[in-house]
Amino acid sequence: KKLPFPHRGKSTAEGAKMYRKPATRRPGLAALLAALFCAQGLSFLGAFQGTQAQAEVRPRGSAKTDVTSEGSKTARHASVVESLKNPVKTVSETIDDFYKGYPQPPVLPMYRTFLVDFITQTHLSNVDSRFQYDAIFALGMRQYYNGLMGNYDKLVMSDESEKIWKSLVTAIGMKPDQVSADAEAVAKYASSTTPAEILKHMEGTEKPSEGKVADAFESIKSSLYSITFSMGLFRIMELSGVEVTRANAEEWAKALKIEPTSKVTSDFETYKQNQVKLQKAEEMLREIEIREKKKLAERLEQKAKALAEKAANKASEASEESK
């Protein structure tokens, strides 16, 4: 006969064992996720993209389809990975392409920072969807580069700056010959046109004879504005006989309908700072050149003295032998 309370008379531990339910092991979160992904045949990337992980809706009572084969899974995963590739060239890739195009001789250390900054700035403008290349942008690129690399060939005693320029422009994704030709066309226009006429061309009341300039004045109103365009604008000022001042820069910005005009005036401040840096760099280069010339003169003088002493010793030895 079974007692109604079989646990009575037992110890606490023994009684607990009699009424304890069998333990069930709960699957961990990782196991649940793995089972879910395996059951659906999805990868994390496929679920993230959404287009590869849409659930198929079946009418109630319809038969289930066969599990997707491993081959189709692989193809699907590959298509997702390919869709995640960034089609836009990165800054590091552009810099790598520059050094591939100009591997030797190494760029002087004092110029590397400038070149990397120049490449980065121009690259970011170039990949922006709002960017439109024009001839004034080309003039700004050429002017900015020449201003800071003008004395490079003297330092290395070789024609390397033009090679560096071609590699730099090619790495950015432009054609060096076209950029140089466009810059030259705008420079020629600025040198042969009065400031009053240029303002009319900017305002649109008259059209310039140079079509590339007309296109640039028109496109800048709707495209991405960058400091490179400002550099080209300031160069036009210089070539046309206009003093590059803050007031003149603001006047030209209004004529081009660039809003806000602070875009141009802030670039003017950067332009003046670069001019000061350039002057200091040129002074430093002149000092280096003078110092090197002095060292060379001293070495030549020492060499001449050594040759004179050697000749004198030979002469004295010859006289002693004759005696």
Side-chain angles (χ1 to χ4, degrees), residues 76-310:
R76 182 172 58 195
H77 296 173
S79 65
V80 173
V81 173
E82 288 175 358
S83 67
L84 290 176
K85 289 181 180 178
N86 187 1
V88 180
K89 192 176 181 181
T90 64
V91 173
S92 60
E93 289 172 344
T94 300
I95 294 173
D96 289 342
D97 288 344
F98 164 70
Y99 282 114
K100 288 176 184 177
Y102 186 79
Q104 293 292 335
V107 178
L108 294 180
M110 64 184 294
Y111 286 89
R112 287 176 194 165
T113 302
F114 156 68
L115 288 174
V116 170
D117 289 344
F118 184 65
I119 292 171
T120 302
Q121 174 183 293
T122 311
H123 166 87
L124 293 176
S125 296
N126 193 31
V127 299
D128 194 299
S129 59
R130 299 166 295 169
F131 173 75
Q132 294 181 35
Y133 170 83
D134 56 56
I136 296 179
F137 185 90
L139 178 62
M141 280 186 66
R142 191 72 204 191
Q143 173 66 17
Y144 197 52
Y145 179 84
N146 288 346
L148 294 173
M149 294 289 287
N151 292 304
Y152 190 84
D153 292 341
K154 291 182 181 179
L155 286 176
V156 297
M157 294 185 230
S158 177
D159 297 332
E160 298 297 327
S161 61
E162 191 63 22
K163 298 176 184 177
I164 295 173
W165 162 259
K166 290 182 178 180
S167 178
L168 184 149
V169 176
T170 302
I172 293 170
M174 300 178 181
K175 298 179 180 179
D177 294 338
Q178 180 187 352
V179 174
S180 297
D182 291 345
E184 187 177 350
V186 179
K188 187 177 180 181
Y189 157 82
S191 301
S192 59
T193 311
T194 64
E197 290 174 330
I198 293 175
L199 280 174
K200 290 179 181 179
H201 297 162
M202 289 179 177
E203 292 169 350
T205 56
E206 293 182 7
K207 283 192 175 183
S209 57
E210 177 56 60
K212 293 179 179 179
V213 175
D215 293 340
F217 286 160
E218 183 62 29
S219 65
I220 192 58
K221 299 172 185 177
S222 58
S223 64
L224 175 71
Y225 190 88
S226 65
I227 190 173
T228 308
F229 189 92
S230 290
M231 293 300 168
L233 207 61
F234 299 151
R235 183 57 179 163
I236 293 175
M237 284 184 177
E238 294 173 346
L239 294 173
S240 62
V242 177
E243 185 181 0
V244 183
T245 63
R246 186 183 182 88
N248 288 335
E250 188 171 359
E251 182 184 5
W252 282 36
K254 289 178 180 178
L256 284 171
K257 297 179 177 62
I258 298 173
E259 295 180 356
T261 56
S262 58
K263 291 180 181 179
V264 181
T265 54
S266 62
D267 290 343
F268 167 76
E269 299 298 333
T270 304
Y271 171 79
K272 299 303 290 184
Q273 291 174 5
N274 288 340
Q275 292 292 100
V276 172
K277 290 178 182 178
L278 178 60
Q279 291 175 358
K280 290 181 178 179
E282 289 177 347
E283 291 175 2
M284 183 182 69
L285 291 173
R286 280 195 292 269
E287 291 176 359
I288 292 174
E289 187 177 1
I290 293 171
R291 193 182 307 123
E292 291 298 321
K293 286 182 178 179
K294 286 182 179 179
K295 289 181 179 179
L296 178 62
E298 290 175 358
R299 287 196 296 268
L300 291 174
E301 186 178 359
Q302 292 174 358
K303 189 175 181 180
K305 285 182 180 179
L307 291 173
E309 289 177 1
K310 189 175 181 180

Side-chain angles (χ1 to χ4, degrees), residues 34 36-54 67-85:
L36 177 61
F37 289 151
C38 289
Q40 296 294 332
L42 301 175
S43 66
F44 174 75
L45 290 176
F48 180 77
Q49 286 295 314
T51 57
Q52 301 294 330
Q54 293 178 347
V67 179
T68 307
S69 63
E70 289 298 325
S72 61
K73 287 182 184 178
T74 305
R76 182 172 58 195
H77 296 173
S79 65
V80 173
V81 173
E82 288 175 358
S83 67
L84 290 176
K85 289 181 180 178

